[in-house]
Amino acid sequence: MIIVLRSDVTEEQIKHIVEKTQQLGLKANISRGVERTVIGLIGPEDVLRVTPLEIFSGVEQVIPVLAPYKLVSREFQEENSIIKITNKVKVGGKKLVVMAGPCSIESLKGLRRIAKKTKKAGATVLRGGAFKPRTSPYDFQGMGEEGLKILKQVGEEMDLATVTEIMDPRQLELTCQYTDILQVGARNMQNFTLLKEIGKTKKPVLLKRGISATIKEWLMSAEYILANGNFDVMLCERGIRTFETETRNTLDINAVAVVKEKSHLPIIIDPSHGTGVWNYVAGGAKAGVAAGCDGLMIEVHDNPEEAFSDGQQSLVPEKFSKMMVDLKKIATAVSRDI
Ligand code: PEP
Ligand code: MN
């Protein structure tokens, strides 16, 4: 940690800061430059969460040198994590994972129809929400346990792994019985109670980036899950809120390179929520693969007009299949398989 002092800092203020940090068990090294004086701190920096140094007179900026997350960082683990979902599906290796399916589980027959087509096109994970985080309490909230049963049944019939969203720790035991991957949605990225409870399970987790979360905050949320014992976490970039109104969100492709540098965890791109417009989904998916993501999450519906949620951003199966053909070429170009 480096403390940059104000240009008008007094000797008395410097002395006070140094004494305070020494009391906290940190070693302070003062470096007096021509324009600025900085203090380098060495020692257990955790104490600074309780006593933030920004509040001391004379301090202009506190720059952390070590990342605040540890277990998710590349420093902690140099090689990429490979997460085993089932015997057949692994995430983080050469082969990209494609998770596809409707936004919401709507019926057994409907999910079966869609799953058949996504599987044929190359998807290996079936997605579908049973507990839906809707902006309006009057919108469809999901089928609940009945939906989870449908997801499990279709997953087994089609030999597809499954992923579904969990919103509340009270749904955890139930949801774990029915799915291979627990999805934490964007709105719950900082639901720390949920993250801690999920961390105590052994289920692989897909942690979506919060609507306005920085990459650091997102990695800190992943840290909660790892710190509680569950290392099987995949990160999912699903677009962030910006000033742009042409799209629902702005898909942050930069996140792939940043996450790959800072963390060993796999990163999945969700261009469906990232764009909010079906016609822009393939472009986002291609960009994600070219950037080096480890997989995609795509909303697919065979009758988007009648979809219970997110029809506007759902691909019809034919468009999904065509996109998969294009993605193969890009995957090959970046030495990956899909
Ligand atoms: C979803 O996957 O349908 C969903 C609600 O995603 P997000 O949390 O990214 O909005
Ligand atoms: Mn959706």
Side-chain angles (χ1 to χ4, degrees):
M1 180 140 326
I2 293 169
I3 309 170
V4 181
L5 300 171
R6 288 169 57 98
S7 53
D8 59 0
V9 66
T10 64
E11 281 305 316
E12 221 172 57
Q13 286 168 337
I14 296 178
K15 195 165 161 256
H16 180 66
I17 296 165
V18 170
E19 279 173 3
K20 195 76 201 171
T21 53
Q22 282 171 347
Q23 279 167 18
L24 291 167
L26 298 164
K27 190 170 178 297
N29 291 298
I30 306 174
S31 161
R32 294 174 196 273
V34 183
E35 293 191 18
R36 285 297 161 101
T37 297
V38 300
I39 304 175
L41 292 180
I42 301 165
E45 294 182 3
D46 284 3
V47 291
L48 299 177
R49 291 213 187 96
V50 189
T51 313
L53 296 171
E54 285 90 343
I55 55 174
F56 288 93
S57 307
V59 172
E60 178 162 277
Q61 206 188 351
V62 178
I63 307 169
V65 175
L66 281 176
Y69 41 82
K70 294 187 171 32
L71 304 177
V72 306
S73 72
R74 276 268 179 222
E75 282 106 53
F76 179 77
Q77 183 186 307
E78 212 181 309
E79 67 279 9
N80 289 335
S81 278
I82 298 185
I83 296 171
K84 183 180 172 198
I85 311 298
T86 59
N87 283 335
K88 284 191 184 154
V89 182
K90 297 186 179 59
V91 184
K94 192 174 182 208
K95 190 170 163 59
L96 296 166
V97 67
V98 178
M99 309 179 182
C103 180
S104 299
I105 299 157
E106 300 172 0
S107 69
L108 176 62
K109 280 187 183 161
L111 192 64
R112 219 183 240 148
R113 270 199 320 271
I114 296 167
K116 214 172 178 173
K117 296 197 169 151
T118 57
K119 180 175 171 139
K120 195 163 172 232
T124 54
V125 180
L126 177 62
R127 67 147 286 149
F131 299 106
K132 294 304 302 175
R134 305 308 298 278
T135 303
S136 166
Y138 308 116
D139 286 342
F140 176 62
Q141 302 288 305
M143 290 180 77
E145 186 173 6
E146 204 191 329
L148 293 176
K149 284 183 180 161
I150 292 173
L151 182 69
K152 187 173 166 68
Q153 185 180 334
V154 177
E156 282 172 2
E157 279 174 20
M158 306 272 172
D159 194 20
L160 288 166
T162 53
V163 55
T164 197
E165 178 163 356
I166 163 133
M167 297 203 294
D168 186 319
R170 288 168 294 187
Q171 300 157 347
L172 190 55
E173 217 184 303
L174 179 83
T175 310
C176 281
Q177 293 169 28
Y178 293 106
T179 188
D180 296 310
I181 305 169
L182 295 169
Q183 174 174 323
V184 177
R187 291 155 195 82
N188 274 309
M189 189 203 83
Q190 289 190 315
N191 181 338
F192 300 119
T193 312
L194 180 63
L195 299 178
K196 283 184 203 168
E197 288 306 311
I198 285 178
K200 292 178 199 158
T201 74
K202 297 209 177 317
K203 279 275 175 202
V205 184
L206 182 77
L207 177 64
K208 287 199 159 194
R209 181 177 179 181
I211 290 168
S212 298
T214 63
I215 293 173
K216 194 179 277 174
E217 287 163 343
W218 186 21
L219 291 172
M220 289 305 295
S221 288
E223 185 83 9
Y224 264 89
I225 304 174
L226 272 73
N228 278 277
N230 186 348
F231 275 61
D232 290 344
V233 176
M234 295 160 273
L235 299 162
C236 178
E237 161 60 41
R238 47 77 73 203
I240 47 175
R241 189 164 281 184
T242 69
F243 50 81
E244 184 54 69
T245 54
E246 292 293 326
T247 48
R248 179 177 176 184
N249 293 297
T250 297
L251 184 63
D252 182 13
I253 290 294
N254 294 346
V256 178
V258 178
V259 162
K260 282 285 164 205
E261 182 182 79
K262 304 208 175 290
S263 177
H264 52 88
L265 299 176
I267 177 163
I268 308 297
I269 287 285
D270 171 354
S272 304
H273 295 86
T275 63
V277 184
W278 70 265
N279 207 20
Y280 306 153
V281 169
K286 288 180 207 171
V289 173
C293 74
D294 298 293
L296 298 164
M297 170 169 265
I298 311 282
E299 287 186 336
V300 178
H301 200 287
D302 55 359
N303 188 2
E305 273 182 29
E306 302 289 329
F308 290 7
S309 57
D310 286 351
Q312 77 289 348
Q313 65 194 34
S314 298
L315 290 183
V316 291
E318 297 68 37
K319 290 264 188 307
F320 176 72
S321 304
K322 156 122 191 16
M323 182 189 79
M324 290 292 281
V325 173
D326 294 343
L327 289 175
K328 273 192 183 44
K329 296 175 211 158
I330 297 170
T332 307
V334 294
S335 309
R336 302 290 286 268
D337 297 330
I338 195 163

